[in-house]
Amino acid sequence: MNGVRTYRRPISTWWWVGKRTYFVFVMRELSSIFIAWLVVYLLLMIAAIGRGADAYDDFLRFAANPVVVVVDLVALAFVVLHTITWFGLTPKAMDVRAAGRPVPAAAVIASQYVGLVVVSAFVVWLVSR
Amino acid sequence: MPDEAGTIGLRVARYRPDTDSEPGWQEYDVPLRREWTVLDALNHVKNEVDPTLSFRWSCRMGICGSCGMDVDGTPRLTCGTFLADFAPGPIRVEPLSNFPVVRDLVVDIDDFIQKLPRVKPWIIRDEEKSVDEGEYLQSPEELDAYKQFSMCINCMLCYAACPVYGLDPDFVGPAAIALAERYDLDSRDQGARERLDVLIEHEGVWGCTFVGECTRVCPKHVDPAGAIQRYKLKAARESVKALLLPRGAR
Ligand code: SF4
Ligand code: FES
């Protein structure tokens, strides 16, 4: 708008603390760092297994370090948050239709949890065989 | 609740560009009537207490989209926001976030007005039918496909709620992308390709990090966040196609 002196309000660095939804959003974004950590952790474990029994024992000692245990617990909490929030958002991103009708959001979300349980059960079966 | 239950405080952000270097606060006491909205209270102030207070409104019924303000920190249509829901108060009333303030509660939405035509929110045809050939017919299902996205009243609540827009004003923004989707999904339209060229840019759909607040504040249930994520899928599909398929097959 010409000729009018408008005022631009500055945005605080802490814009995301005041509102619950913004806070959850920033935590959800942050959770990807912990997902990355778990991937690194898994790769370290696989590398150790590949190098033999001694290397694997070393890895187990590393994993039992209290600092690593705490990091893993925090990571677990963030992974749970990551899973719940992204599963919850899926129906927004995908317009799923069956027989021409939109599938209710709850059904889309539920199907992801079913998938998660099936895959988890398979993994448990695989390692405990 | 009786018709009138005392008064409630309004804490209103004021900015007079000719005298103030930055916005300040002013408090008003207004009657707490069960049927009064925040807009009614502001009109009461303007008519009875302080005629210098500036704000926009028109229809008083959630149609025109001009009365949007931040009420207790959340963007809302003030004509649909009841005082009683905020009792005992005080109620904080501010101009919509993320827009420059012109005066008091009035913001400058020029930026949106500039962006809107960039997504070409109108029906594009490869070849127009002549009037003699009659109208473009549409089935109820075809109407349903885009109807939700056509309910937008350009109230700008979604832009005020969007931290991405606040931090990066180049972002095309929720309502404009929802409107692009509205025309893409219209069976009469053939302009999806042209719109994608605009929205595939970084300031287009990829600027969105899916905060989802736009959908939460939208008074018309347009679900702009949903529109943007669907657009991302579409854009990703097109990029993969462009990479894999020879030109002619696209
Ligand atoms: S999408 Fe909703 S919140 Fe955004 S301008 Fe349109 S009606 Fe308002
Ligand atoms: S005054 Fe028209 S939408 Fe509120």
Side-chain angles (χ1 to χ4, degrees):
Chain A
M1 242 184 263
N2 286 335
V4 181
R5 203 165 63 88
T6 56
Y7 182 83
R8 274 179 193 282
R9 290 158 287 175
I11 296 188
S12 141
T13 322
W14 302 103
W15 60 268
W16 49 278
V17 236
K19 191 178 267 186
R20 200 189 63 87
T21 47
Y22 287 169
F23 181 77
V24 171
F25 158 73
V26 169
M27 288 301 115
R28 190 191 78 206
E29 295 290 287
L30 212 60
S31 68
S32 46
I33 295 172
F34 292 92
I35 299 274
W37 158 249
L38 286 186
V39 171
V40 170
Y41 185 83
L42 198 67
L43 289 176
L44 286 176
M45 183 173 79
I46 291 171
I49 293 172
R51 284 204 309 274
D54 283 351
Y56 184 59
D57 282 341
D58 282 347
F59 177 79
L60 288 185
R61 256 191 303 283
F62 159 77
N65 183 312
V67 177
V68 178
V69 173
V70 169
V71 171
D72 282 350
L73 282 176
V74 174
L76 177 67
F78 272 100
V79 169
V80 171
L81 176 80
H82 192 89
T83 309
I84 294 175
T85 47
W86 281 114
F87 278 10
L89 289 174
T90 308
K92 288 247 165 289
M94 298 178 74
D95 182 25
V96 190
R97 276 162 199 271
R101 285 160 177 275
V103 175
V108 176
I109 296 174
S111 67
Q112 298 177 96
Y113 282 101
V114 171
L116 180 66
V117 168
V118 169
V119 172
S120 305
F122 175 72
V123 171
V124 168
W125 172 79
L126 206 63
V127 295
S128 62
R129 220 157 29 124
Chain B
M1 200 197 283
D3 222 33
E4 191 167 329
T7 60
I8 189 165
L10 286 188
R11 211 171 131 68
V12 180
R14 304 239 20 208
Y15 171 64
R16 286 137 297 199
D18 24 359
T19 52
D20 303 347
S21 60
E22 58 177 31
W25 295 99
Q26 189 154 353
E27 324 261 341
Y28 302 100
D29 266 331
V30 295
L32 176 55
R33 297 235 175 101
R34 194 177 45 166
E35 74 283 6
W36 267 20
T37 63
V38 172
L39 181 61
D40 292 324
L42 291 172
N43 272 320
H44 169 84
V45 170
K46 184 151 179 100
N47 296 335
E48 312 285 336
V49 186
D50 182 353
T52 66
L53 182 63
S54 300
F55 51 96
R56 283 199 185 108
W57 63 284
S58 176
C59 71
R60 293 184 283 106
M61 50 199 286
I63 303 286
C64 72
S66 59
C67 69
M69 296 167 210
D70 282 11
V71 180
D72 268 2
T74 300
R76 297 168 186 271
L77 292 182
T78 47
C79 68
T81 303
F82 287 86
L83 295 177
D85 293 337
F86 295 82
I91 310 175
R92 206 153 36 93
V93 185
E94 293 167 272
L96 284 178
S97 301
N98 300 338
F99 292 100
V101 186
V102 177
R103 170 185 291 272
D104 296 342
L105 299 166
V106 178
V107 292
D108 174 8
I109 62 164
D110 254 20
D111 180 57
F112 172 74
I113 304 296
Q114 304 295 328
K115 279 172 181 162
L116 192 54
R118 281 176 45 209
V119 304
K120 307 190 187 209
W122 52 80
I123 286 179
I124 299 173
R125 300 286 301 179
D126 292 339
E127 223 166 304
E128 284 287 352
K129 274 210 280 195
S130 74
V131 177
D132 297 337
E133 285 170 274
E135 56 278 80
Y136 298 109
L137 294 179
Q138 202 162 47
S139 70
E141 289 77 31
E142 287 169 333
L143 171 64
D144 264 354
Y146 69 83
K147 187 159 177 225
Q148 171 192 14
F149 299 122
S150 73
M151 304 306 280
C152 174
I153 56 173
N154 297 353
C155 64
M156 300 293 98
L157 300 196
C158 51
Y159 283 75
C162 176
V164 175
Y165 179 63
L167 296 166
D168 173 15
D170 288 334
F171 177 42
V172 174
I177 301 177
L179 267 176
E181 185 74 349
R182 176 248 173 277
Y183 284 94
D184 272 18
L185 291 174
D186 191 319
S187 58
R188 301 164 294 182
D189 178 84
Q190 298 168 325
R193 181 76 248 172
E194 291 177 40
R195 288 184 201 104
L196 191 67
D197 287 342
V198 179
L199 291 176
I200 210 161
E201 299 291 325
H202 176 73
E203 291 77 28
V205 288
W206 299 114
C208 168
T209 49
F210 208 170
V211 182
E213 195 65 8
C214 52
T215 290
R216 259 170 250 129
V217 300
C218 176
K220 292 289 159 185
H221 309 291
V222 172
D223 189 9
I228 299 173
Q229 309 323 310
R230 280 174 217 174
Y231 228 107
K232 283 182 188 166
L233 280 185
K234 191 153 51 180
R237 258 198 315 268
E238 287 302 314
S239 307
V240 171
K241 260 200 233 162
L243 211 63
L244 298 181
L245 296 181
R247 241 172 205 289
R250 274 181 233 161

